Amino acid sequence: MLISKNSASQYPGYAAAQRAVSLTSFAHDHHALKIDCMPQPAKPKIYHIVHVDRLPSIVACQGLLCDAEVLRRCAPGTTIGMSSIKQRRLSELSLTSHPGLHVGDCVPFYFCPRSIMLYLIHQANHSELTYRGGQDPIVHLECDLLDTVAWANAQGWRWAFTLSNAGSRYFEDRADLACLTQIDWEAVQAIHWQSHKEGKQAEFLLENQFPWNLVTRIGVKRAAIAHQVAQALPSNGHRPVIETRADWYY
């Protein structure tokens, strides 16, 4: 049965149905616009932040260690994370894509510099944050996501990525590059992220250890820290490019 606009008022459900269709169309169009405006990067990068004084032990181990290995080896260097969340990642939170693999058994990365965690370090007022040294001594280790996955697959090491903070109790994880489109890339790349906190904290996780030779660039806030980084790098081994990147900091 066809209903004309003039007779629509005779059918109370008709107007509600039309509003529902309009809202659905708007949501679909808005979602499509969001994807078109912020597509997945062709060559995604991943970032791990550490205190500059941990670099010598990273170089000595020939790579980054997961928290479980850092504790087991008593690796030297300043810890910048929150101990309660680190403990939860070690003992409670595991990956659905790799049953039995805890988050703390993996080396974590963000998909962007200037993370929310760095903001907390910069503010230095969170009750659960023991480190109070600010963001200046913190360095960004940049790596290529696709090269990392290719290396991990060749070695038989497990990897995954999350759609939000892997330290929370409700994150979702994936172990398929085809699912990268599920990451909220608009949130990841947001400078003003207050309304994007969940998506901004998406993580990449690599089991056990991350090889030093896959670090392609080191970003620092000040030239003085760049000098410290240069001193910590091996004279004859792999030496990533060091850049002063104030835009990676608050």
Coordinates of all heavy atoms in Angstrom, one line a residue, residues 192-226:
H192 N 44.0 16.8 19.0 CA 43.1 17.0 20.1 C 42.3 15.8 20.3 O 41.3 15.6 19.6 CB 42.3 18.3 19.8 CG 43.1 19.5 19.5 ND1 43.9 20.1 20.4 CD2 43.3 20.1 18.3 CE1 44.5 21.1 19.8 NE2 44.2 21.2 18.5
W193 N 42.7 14.9 21.2 CA 42.2 13.6 21.3 C 41.2 13.4 22.4 O 40.8 12.2 22.7 CB 43.3 12.6 21.4 CG 44.4 13.0 22.4 CD1 45.6 13.5 22.0 CD2 44.4 13.0 23.8 NE1 46.4 13.8 23.2 CE2 45.6 13.5 24.3 CE3 43.4 12.6 24.8 CZ2 45.9 13.6 25.6 CZ3 43.7 12.8 26.1 CH2 44.9 13.3 26.5
Q194 N 40.8 14.4 23.1 CA 39.9 14.3 24.2 C 38.6 13.5 24.0 O 38.1 12.8 24.8 CB 39.6 15.6 24.8 CG 40.7 16.3 25.6 CD 41.8 16.9 24.7 OE1 41.6 16.9 23.5 NE2 42.9 17.3 25.2
S195 N 38.1 13.6 22.8 CA 36.9 12.8 22.4 C 37.3 11.6 21.6 O 36.4 10.9 21.1 CB 36.0 13.7 21.5 OG 36.6 14.1 20.3
H196 N 38.5 11.2 21.6 CA 39.0 10.0 20.9 C 39.9 9.1 21.7 O 40.8 8.4 21.2 CB 39.8 10.4 19.6 CG 39.0 11.3 18.7 ND1 38.1 10.8 17.7 CD2 39.0 12.6 18.4 CE1 37.6 11.7 17.0 NE2 38.2 12.9 17.4
K197 N 39.7 9.1 23.0 CA 40.7 8.5 23.9 C 40.8 7.0 23.7 O 41.9 6.4 23.7 CB 40.3 8.7 25.4 CG 40.5 10.2 25.9 CD 40.1 10.3 27.3 CE 40.3 11.7 27.8 NZ 39.9 11.9 29.2
E198 N 39.7 6.3 23.4 CA 39.8 4.8 23.2 C 40.5 4.5 22.0 O 41.5 3.7 22.0 CB 38.4 4.3 23.2 CG 37.6 4.4 24.5 CD 38.3 3.7 25.7 OE1 38.9 2.6 25.5 OE2 38.3 4.3 26.8
G199 N 40.1 5.0 20.9 CA 40.8 4.7 19.6 C 42.2 5.2 19.5 O 43.1 4.5 18.9
K200 N 42.5 6.3 20.2 CA 43.9 6.8 20.2 C 44.9 5.9 20.8 O 46.0 5.9 20.4 CB 43.9 8.1 21.0 CG 45.2 8.9 21.1 CD 45.6 9.5 19.8 CE 46.8 10.4 19.9 NZ 47.2 11.0 18.6
Q201 N 44.4 5.0 21.7 CA 45.3 4.1 22.4 C 45.4 2.7 21.8 O 45.9 1.8 22.5 CB 44.9 4.0 23.9 CG 44.9 5.4 24.6 CD 44.5 5.3 26.0 OE1 45.2 5.0 26.9 NE2 43.2 5.6 26.3
A202 N 45.0 2.5 20.6 CA 45.2 1.3 19.9 C 46.7 0.9 20.0 O 47.5 1.7 19.9 CB 44.7 1.4 18.5
E203 N 46.9 -0.4 20.1 CA 48.3 -0.9 20.3 C 48.6 -2.0 19.3 O 47.8 -2.8 18.9 CB 48.5 -1.4 21.7 CG 48.4 -0.4 22.8 CD 48.7 -0.9 24.2 OE1 49.6 -1.7 24.3 OE2 48.0 -0.6 25.1
F204 N 49.9 -2.1 19.0 CA 50.5 -3.3 18.3 C 51.3 -4.0 19.3 O 52.1 -3.4 20.1 CB 51.4 -2.9 17.1 CG 52.0 -4.1 16.5 CD1 51.3 -4.9 15.6 CD2 53.3 -4.4 16.7 CE1 51.9 -6.0 15.0 CE2 54.0 -5.5 16.2 CZ 53.2 -6.3 15.3
L205 N 51.2 -5.4 19.4 CA 51.9 -6.2 20.3 C 52.7 -7.3 19.7 O 52.2 -8.0 18.8 CB 50.9 -6.8 21.3 CG 49.9 -5.9 22.0 CD1 48.8 -6.6 22.7 CD2 50.7 -5.1 23.1
L206 N 54.0 -7.4 20.0 CA 54.8 -8.5 19.5 C 55.3 -9.3 20.6 O 55.9 -8.8 21.6 CB 56.0 -7.8 18.7 CG 57.0 -8.8 18.1 CD1 56.4 -9.7 17.1 CD2 58.2 -8.1 17.6
E207 N 55.2 -10.6 20.4 CA 55.6 -11.6 21.5 C 57.1 -11.5 21.8 O 57.9 -11.4 21.0 CB 55.3 -13.0 21.0 CG 55.6 -14.1 22.0 CD 55.3 -15.5 21.5 OE1 55.0 -15.6 20.2 OE2 55.2 -16.4 22.3
N208 N 57.3 -11.4 23.1 CA 58.6 -11.6 23.8 C 59.6 -10.4 23.5 O 60.0 -9.8 24.5 CB 59.2 -12.9 23.3 CG 60.4 -13.3 24.2 OD1 60.3 -13.3 25.4 ND2 61.5 -13.6 23.6
Q209 N 60.1 -10.2 22.3 CA 61.2 -9.3 22.1 C 61.1 -8.7 20.7 O 60.6 -9.3 19.7 CB 62.5 -10.0 22.2 CG 63.7 -9.2 22.1 CD 65.0 -9.9 22.5 OE1 65.0 -11.1 22.9 NE2 66.2 -9.3 22.4
F210 N 61.5 -7.4 20.6 CA 61.5 -6.8 19.3 C 62.9 -6.5 18.9 O 63.7 -5.9 19.6 CB 60.7 -5.4 19.4 CG 60.5 -4.7 18.1 CD1 59.4 -4.9 17.4 CD2 61.5 -3.8 17.7 CE1 59.3 -4.2 16.2 CE2 61.4 -3.1 16.5 CZ 60.2 -3.4 15.7
P211 N 63.3 -6.9 17.7 CA 64.7 -6.8 17.2 C 65.1 -5.3 17.0 O 64.4 -4.5 16.4 CB 64.8 -7.5 15.9 CG 63.4 -7.6 15.4 CD 62.5 -7.6 16.6
W212 N 66.3 -5.0 17.5 CA 66.8 -3.6 17.4 C 67.0 -3.2 16.0 O 66.7 -2.0 15.7 CB 68.2 -3.6 18.2 CG 68.9 -2.3 18.0 CD1 70.1 -2.1 17.3 CD2 68.5 -1.0 18.5 NE1 70.5 -0.7 17.4 CE2 69.5 -0.1 18.1 CE3 67.4 -0.5 19.2 CZ2 69.4 1.3 18.4 CZ3 67.3 0.8 19.6 CH2 68.3 1.7 19.1
N213 N 67.3 -4.0 15.1 CA 67.6 -3.6 13.7 C 66.3 -3.2 13.0 O 66.4 -2.8 11.8 CB 68.4 -4.7 12.9 CG 67.6 -6.0 12.8 OD1 66.5 -6.1 13.3 ND2 68.3 -7.0 12.2
L214 N 65.1 -3.4 13.6 CA 63.9 -3.0 12.9 C 63.5 -1.6 13.4 O 62.5 -1.0 12.9 CB 62.7 -4.0 13.2 CG 62.8 -5.3 12.5 CD1 61.6 -6.1 12.8 CD2 62.9 -5.1 11.0
V215 N 64.2 -1.0 14.3 CA 64.0 0.4 14.7 C 64.6 1.3 13.6 O 65.8 1.2 13.3 CB 64.6 0.7 16.1 CG1 64.4 2.2 16.4 CG2 64.0 -0.1 17.2
T216 N 63.8 2.1 13.0 CA 64.2 2.9 11.8 C 64.5 4.3 12.1 O 65.3 4.9 11.5 CB 63.2 2.8 10.7 OG1 61.9 3.3 11.2 CG2 63.0 1.4 10.2
R217 N 63.9 4.8 13.2 CA 64.1 6.3 13.5 C 63.9 6.5 15.0 O 63.0 5.8 15.6 CB 63.1 7.1 12.7 CG 63.3 8.6 13.0 CD 62.6 9.5 11.9 NE 61.2 9.2 11.7 CZ 60.3 10.1 11.2 NH1 60.8 11.3 10.8 NH2 59.1 9.8 11.0
I218 N 64.6 7.4 15.6 CA 64.5 7.7 17.0 C 64.1 9.2 17.1 O 64.9 10.1 16.6 CB 65.7 7.4 17.8 CG1 66.1 6.0 17.7 CG2 65.5 7.9 19.3 CD1 67.4 5.6 18.4
G219 N 63.0 9.5 17.6 CA 62.5 10.9 17.8 C 62.7 11.4 19.2 O 62.4 10.7 20.1
V220 N 63.3 12.6 19.3 CA 63.5 13.2 20.7 C 63.0 14.6 20.7 O 62.7 15.2 19.6 CB 65.0 13.2 21.0 CG1 65.6 11.8 20.9 CG2 65.8 14.2 20.0
K221 N 62.8 15.2 21.9 CA 62.3 16.5 22.0 C 63.3 17.6 21.9 O 63.1 18.7 21.4 CB 61.6 16.6 23.4 CG 60.7 17.9 23.5 CD 59.9 17.9 24.8 CE 58.9 19.0 24.8 NZ 59.5 20.3 24.9
R222 N 64.5 17.3 22.4 CA 65.6 18.3 22.5 C 66.9 17.8 22.0 O 67.2 16.6 22.0 CB 65.7 18.9 23.9 CG 64.5 19.5 24.5 CD 64.7 20.1 25.8 NE 63.5 20.5 26.5 CZ 62.8 21.6 26.1 NH1 63.3 22.4 25.2 NH2 61.7 21.9 26.8
A223 N 67.7 18.7 21.5 CA 69.1 18.3 21.0 C 69.9 17.7 22.0 O 70.7 16.8 21.7 CB 69.8 19.6 20.4
A224 N 69.8 18.1 23.3 CA 70.6 17.5 24.3 C 70.3 16.0 24.5 O 71.2 15.2 24.7 CB 70.4 18.2 25.7
I225 N 69.0 15.6 24.3 CA 68.7 14.2 24.4 C 69.1 13.5 23.2 O 69.6 12.3 23.3 CB 67.1 14.1 24.6 CG1 66.7 14.8 25.8 CG2 66.7 12.6 24.7 CD1 67.3 14.3 27.1
A226 N 69.1 14.1 22.0 CA 69.6 13.5 20.8 C 71.1 13.2 21.0 O 71.6 12.1 20.5 CB 69.5 14.5 19.6

